[in-house]
Amino acid sequence: MQLSFSKSHHPVTEKLHHIVTSKKTNLALSADVTDSEALIRLVEQTADHIAVLKTHIDIVTDFTSLLTQRLRKLADEAGFLIFEDRKFADIGNTVCHQVRDGIYHIAEWADIINAHLLPGVGIIDGLKEGCKGRDIGLLLLAQMSSKGNLFSPEYTAKTVSEAEKNKDFIIGFIAQEKLTQDNDLITMTPGVNFDAKGDGLGQNYNTPEYVIGEKKSDIIIVGRGIYAAYKPAEAALSYKEQAWKLVERH
Ligand code: S5P
């Protein structure tokens, strides 16, 4: 078995590689719940099965900084990375503030962030500036899972080429398939669900077999397939086991 992303080009990639291989999991949990205690409970139940916890911190209605402190502690104890899915999409100066300041202070606790390249390359420099002082890796959105999205093959290709030029900060992509032969760059794929095909609001789902086996993604991102399941810990375990079997086979 060979993971398709390397272990050494960026400190965050190195940490992720270590977590994935030692816990034998390439599962990212998208913990899109809106209550702090529910979020902590979900993470406690699933921590052993995940390599990455993906948050949307701005949907938590009772947010205080205690929440991100507790998540950070859980991440360090259980061995997973925190990916804040803020999808930055503004000029460099604004995203620098958005990642560093405000009430969330994302750069103080996240390991991974993501951004659209739409505003131009200044967004990479702005985020890098805002993340100074901690090891944080940036994922670029190169494709999306949602119906009717406006990503064109040209835009995706441009995103890949900017990532290849900025590997001191960019660790990979959010995409529906592996887009480069450069194994320094990780592919994380959302829109994964065993049962559903979509959600009535434009989401498209594929199976782990398709995403890992055929599309050669490294990490699957699963939200409702886990947190909306009757038993989230059992659901996380089965996504983990199925996805890992595919990594071993391919
Ligand atoms: O293309 C994308 C990119 C992302 S990051 N499609 C997505 O669905 N996402 C995110 O992945 C989305 O914001 C949500 O947090 C998660 C998918 O959740 P699920 O419940 O549909 O599995």
Side-chain angles (χ1 to χ4, degrees):
M1 185 272 305
Q2 180 75 51
L3 278 177
S4 81
F5 66 96
S6 72
K7 60 179 170 195
S8 57
H9 104 276
H10 188 285
V12 172
T13 315
E14 196 174 345
K15 276 185 217 163
L16 184 58
H17 196 278
H18 175 73
I19 290 169
V20 166
T21 48
S22 55
K23 288 174 79 175
K24 296 189 190 307
T25 177
N26 60 329
L27 173 64
L29 166 66
S30 182
D32 302 338
V33 297
T34 57
D35 173 86
S36 292
E37 286 310 317
L39 176 53
I40 294 287
R41 246 191 337 271
L42 175 66
V43 175
E44 283 173 344
Q45 286 169 7
T46 53
D48 290 344
H49 307 317
I50 63 173
V52 177
L53 168 69
K54 187 175 81 59
T55 53
H56 279 301
I57 207 65
D58 57 359
I59 69 171
V60 176
T61 46
D62 58 349
F63 175 84
T64 69
S65 58
L66 185 60
L67 174 62
T68 40
Q69 287 164 28
R70 290 170 76 190
L71 291 176
R72 189 65 256 166
K73 189 160 179 282
L74 284 169
D76 294 337
E77 285 167 4
F80 58 81
L81 299 185
I82 306 180
F83 165 17
E84 166 52 27
D85 183 9
R86 169 65 179 74
K87 297 186 182 70
F88 296 97
D90 212 322
I91 61 166
N93 185 60
T94 301
V95 296
C96 176
H97 286 301
Q98 287 173 326
V99 75
R100 188 178 64 196
D101 304 321
I103 58 171
Y104 299 117
H105 302 283
I106 294 167
E108 288 179 9
W109 49 270
D111 301 291
I112 299 172
I113 55 170
N114 59 352
H116 290 287
L117 192 60
L118 191 64
V121 291
I123 194 167
I124 300 171
D125 296 331
L127 287 169
K128 200 191 291 181
E129 178 69 25
C131 289
K132 261 192 191 148
R134 277 191 64 241
D135 288 333
I136 297 178
L138 174 66
L139 296 171
L140 291 180
L141 284 120
Q143 293 172 328
M144 287 194 74
S145 60
S146 41
K147 283 190 191 97
N149 69 69
L150 302 180
F151 285 75
S152 66
E154 293 72 25
Y155 181 88
T156 298
K158 180 77 184 148
T159 304
V160 173
S161 85
E162 284 307 328
E164 288 169 350
K165 284 187 232 154
N166 290 279
K167 292 198 295 183
D168 60 323
F169 185 41
I170 297 177
I171 61 166
F173 308 101
I174 295 291
Q176 293 296 300
E177 61 191 320
K178 185 172 175 67
L179 293 165
T180 171
Q181 293 315 309
D182 185 336
N183 286 341
D184 286 343
L185 297 165
I186 301 165
T187 308
M188 297 199 190
T189 302
V192 176
N193 197 296
F194 285 147
D195 306 313
K197 290 267 168 283
D199 68 354
L201 289 174
Q203 178 66 299
N204 282 318
Y205 287 120
N206 289 300
T207 59
E209 282 93 337
Y210 180 75
V211 164
I212 299 172
E214 288 186 40
K215 294 297 174 181
K216 311 293 177 208
S217 180
D218 299 306
I219 304 276
I220 57 165
I221 299 175
V222 183
R224 283 162 286 185
I226 294 174
Y227 71 79
Y230 177 53
K231 292 185 174 169
E234 286 180 19
L237 179 61
S238 40
Y239 277 98
K240 167 196 156 169
E241 286 179 345
Q242 178 147 359
W244 190 253
K245 235 185 264 164
L246 290 155
V247 169
E248 287 185 314
R249 197 183 305 155
H250 290 278

